[in-house]
Amino acid sequence: MQSITIVLLGIAGMIIGWFFYSKFIAEKIFRLDDNFVTPAHELNDGKDFVPTNKVVLWGHHFTSVAGAAPIVGPAIAVYWGWVPAVLWVVFGTILFAGVHDMGALWASARHKGKSMGALSESVIGKRTRSLFMIVIFLVLLMVNAVFGVVIANSFVDQPNAVFPAWTAIVVALIIGQLLKRNFSLIPMCLVGILVLYASVYAGSYIPIELPETMFGLADTANWIIILFIYAAIASLLPVWMLLQPRDFINGMQLIVGLLLLYGAVFFAMPDITAPAFNTQTAASTPSIIPLLFVTIACGAVSGFHGIVASGTSSKQLNKETDGRFVGYLGAVGEGCLALITIVAVSGVALAGSSEEWHTIYSHLGDGSVAAFITGGANLIASGWGLPVDFASTILATMVVLFAGTTMDSGVRLQRYIIQEWGEIYNLTALRNGAFATLLAVGTCLLLAFGAGGSSGSGGMIIWPLFGSTNQILASLTLLVISVMLIKMGRPARYTLIPMFFVLVMAFFAGVIKLKEYYLDGNYLLVFLDAVVLIVSILVMLEAWSVISRFKKSKT
């Protein structure tokens, strides 16, 4: 099998989904309306609520939801075989992720830009709101704490990526100021991309490393602290100043990266050496069903997308109809990244033979980001003739910048959740942006260093919960959207069917993991997993009660 066949079929499917299915959902189900006054206009405060060009907002949304997850998940899940991974990415993007993300934007915009947890009170009830927000905060805590570790480890392992990663922030600040002064977007975009890739080239010759030990902490721990100080500052700045231009530049950088990777496939047409269905899995390997559907989240469907869509993106939506471009096309972009990741870790660019591939992927969990960077760099080198080291720096920088933008948005979203709790429970201190940010960063650092000691890797302790928790959150988001549609007298099957499928897979994955954590004696994960499972059941029962009462009132 040649990789070009996978690419052509996968891209064709997502293009059809964008032009036809997303149009149908936007016009016939959500009925997006240009005349609807979005929260960005109604509540414009120049800081969090800011009407934004849909292309710029797409860049923010896309890079915030992408992070490293659409690389990590597919690079691990290919262990079961590239066919199930490709099918879930393609059909998950078309039928699940695009509808989920666009729907979350629409639902939040219709409720003054509230987060999915807060708006669930209006749709379902107060008890649901409290339960929902607990799951959201837990997911954000995991994402922020772990992505801090991912970026810090990348800086230590790939010091060539440090210079371009911080240069991107400086470039974004400059572009933000110029955009505020009505400079043309396209020329600035081109200049920004050129400067970014010049910094990537320079980074190949300017590795930046922290001392192995400083202030009694390892280099990774010091990077984690630096990253959270930056994230705290970034989360308090107006979105136009740093968040929007940084994410937009990263979005454009990803497009360049995707063009390099996909172009390399067309030029080199490498063969696939990974098995279509892996029959040589280790004895301890869990069943592909339901684990595949929680291993690949971002790139198919992800609850974290709903947090971003309802947390930051909905507050910047210029027109309601922009939700299709930002939400659905953002999901398509992420699906494209997941698809090329599968190609990069399944072909001769990573492993020259089937035997070599099985050596690299001897157990579930092997591969991940390192396999993507190695395979992707070799693929670019073979297709475009670029030096492998330079190609590696490009991809390492892409991963770091993605994880960084997700962390930026994640801390801001945690701040929003804390402020919403302040509004709900009338706690003045929590409504203060600076205090809420300190509390958000403080909880992340407490998890990082309280549970992980001086290494700062505490987030990794609860990270195994992310897969099932994240997908349960996706099903809860689809549930809220479905209840809205039912109350508005519109067809809800296009969200209810994906909701039911994702919930069943995530719930059973959570049950399987619960047994695994118990047998391992990891009682913290047992407790947290049980909490998430119980919360999901309670929210579903509450929603069913609301739907039943509503239908009875109509008869």
Side-chain angles (χ1 to χ4, degrees):
M1 169 68 75
Q2 284 191 323
S3 55
I4 193 169
T5 305
I6 298 173
V7 165
L8 288 174
L9 291 175
I11 294 298
M14 285 188 265
I15 289 174
I16 291 170
W18 161 246
F19 279 107
F20 297 102
Y21 193 63
S22 73
K23 189 173 187 290
F24 167 74
I25 296 294
E27 294 180 356
K28 303 300 182 182
I29 307 303
F30 296 144
R31 300 178 192 174
L32 305 184
D33 183 4
D34 260 348
N35 295 319
F36 177 78
V37 179
T38 63
H41 289 282
E42 182 184 358
L43 305 173
N44 189 345
D45 61 4
K47 183 178 180 181
D48 296 321
F49 293 84
V50 180
T52 304
N53 178 287
K54 69 178 182 180
V55 179
V56 175
L57 182 55
W58 172 85
H60 153 70
H61 179 80
F62 177 28
T63 54
S64 294
V65 300
I71 295 171
V72 174
I76 291 175
V78 77
Y79 178 74
W80 283 297
W82 63 262
V83 167
V86 167
L87 290 176
W88 175 227
V89 164
V90 175
F91 287 103
T93 296
I94 297 168
L95 301 174
F96 292 71
V99 177
H100 171 278
D101 294 15
M102 178 168 49
L105 270 173
W106 168 72
S108 179
R110 288 279 168 165
H111 290 84
K112 299 186 182 297
K114 289 182 180 179
S115 73
M116 194 55 64
L119 72 84
S120 65
E121 177 184 359
S122 305
V123 178
I124 301 177
K126 286 186 178 180
R127 284 176 294 188
T128 298
R129 176 200 67 197
S130 301
L131 296 170
F132 214 144
M133 291 178 79
I134 290 171
V135 179
I136 290 174
F137 191 83
L138 181 61
V139 168
L140 287 171
L141 184 63
M142 284 190 275
V143 168
N144 292 336
V146 169
F147 274 36
V149 177
V150 169
I151 301 169
N153 287 339
S154 296
F155 280 166
V156 172
D157 296 337
Q158 296 276 348
N160 292 342
V162 176
F163 179 73
W166 292 101
T167 299
I169 296 171
V170 176
V171 173
L173 285 168
I174 294 171
I175 288 180
Q177 294 296 329
L178 294 176
L179 277 174
K180 193 69 174 176
R181 289 160 176 76
N182 296 318
F183 277 68
S184 178
L185 177 63
I186 295 176
M188 282 193 297
C189 169
L190 294 175
V191 171
I193 291 295
L194 287 173
V195 172
L196 179 61
Y197 276 96
S199 71
V200 170
Y201 182 77
S204 301
Y205 300 94
I206 313 173
I208 297 176
E209 300 179 80
L210 293 180
E212 288 189 11
T213 304
M214 188 170 63
F215 307 121
L217 296 173
D219 47 4
T220 51
N222 280 302
W223 273 126
I224 290 170
I225 293 171
I226 292 169
L227 288 164
F228 272 109
I229 291 172
Y230 156 74
I233 296 170
S235 74
L236 289 170
L237 295 176
V239 290
W240 61 265
M241 188 177 291
L242 177 59
L243 188 71
Q244 287 179 352
R246 171 170 159 76
D247 290 356
F248 180 66
I249 291 171
N250 289 346
M252 296 304 103
Q253 180 235 4
L254 174 63
I255 289 175
V256 174
L258 289 176
L259 288 174
L260 287 173
L261 288 165
Y262 277 102
V265 170
F266 281 93
F267 292 146
M269 291 191 287
D271 289 331
I272 296 296
T273 54
F277 298 92
N278 191 1
T279 58
Q280 301 180 37
T281 56
S284 59
T285 304
S287 171
I288 186 173
I289 297 175
L291 272 300
L292 171 70
F293 303 100
V294 299
T295 303
I296 300 179
C298 295
V301 63
S302 167
F304 181 70
H305 293 199
I307 304 177
V308 175
S310 65
T312 59
S313 300
S314 65
K315 295 176 174 63
Q316 303 168 58
L317 203 62
N318 184 38
K319 295 179 180 180
E320 190 177 59
T321 49
D322 290 348
R324 179 186 171 217
F325 185 92
V326 174
Y328 198 98
L329 196 59
V332 168
E334 193 173 54
C336 290
L337 177 57
L339 183 66
I340 199 64
T341 296
I342 294 170
V343 171
V345 300
S346 299
V348 294
L350 177 68
S353 66
S354 176
E355 292 74 19
E356 186 181 345
W357 188 91
H358 280 289
T359 300
I360 296 171
Y361 276 90
S362 56
H363 297 88
L364 182 67
D366 293 340
S368 195
V369 174
F372 167 73
I373 292 175
T374 301
N378 290 334
L379 182 60
I380 291 173
S382 64
W384 295 92
L386 294 177
V388 173
D389 289 344
F390 180 51
S392 295
T393 303
I394 290 175
L395 296 181
T397 302
M398 188 170 80
V399 171
V400 167
L401 289 180
F402 269 14
T405 53
T406 301
M407 191 175 170
D408 285 3
S409 296
V411 171
R412 185 179 289 264
L413 289 164
Q414 263 190 297
R415 191 248 294 175
Y416 288 160
I417 292 292
I418 293 170
Q419 287 182 299
E420 285 179 347
W421 275 334
E423 294 288 341
I424 292 167
Y425 300 109
N426 196 27
L427 300 172
T428 305
L430 296 186
R431 293 200 295 265
N432 180 274
F435 181 77
T437 298
L438 287 175
L439 198 57
V441 171
T443 55
C444 292
L445 290 174
L446 182 63
L447 173 62
F449 290 95
S454 60
S455 69
S457 61
M460 294 297 183
I461 293 173
I462 65 171
W463 182 248
L465 280 174
F466 179 76
S468 55
T469 304
N470 184 52
Q471 297 304 69
I472 284 175
L473 181 57
S475 68
L476 297 183
T477 299
L478 287 166
L479 174 66
V480 171
I481 297 167
S482 299
V483 175
M484 277 186 65
L485 290 171
I486 290 169
K487 286 185 171 183
M488 298 170 81
R490 300 178 189 175
R493 58 183 174 275
Y494 303 100
T495 51
L496 276 176
I497 293 172
M499 180 275 293
F500 182 76
F501 179 85
V502 173
L503 177 67
V504 169
M505 293 301 160
F507 191 85
F508 280 106
V511 172
I512 291 170
K513 287 293 183 181
L514 188 69
K515 179 182 178 182
E516 180 183 313
Y517 303 146
Y518 178 77
L519 293 176
D520 290 343
N522 195 331
Y523 298 113
L524 172 63
L525 292 185
V526 169
F527 171 74
L528 292 176
D529 195 358
V531 167
V532 172
L533 293 175
I534 292 169
V535 165
S536 66
I537 293 172
L538 292 175
V539 171
M540 289 292 165
L541 291 175
E542 186 74 13
W544 179 256
S545 174
V546 169
I547 294 171
S548 298
R549 290 198 304 268
F550 177 76
K551 287 186 174 181
K552 284 180 182 179
S553 68
K554 290 292 183 180
T555 57

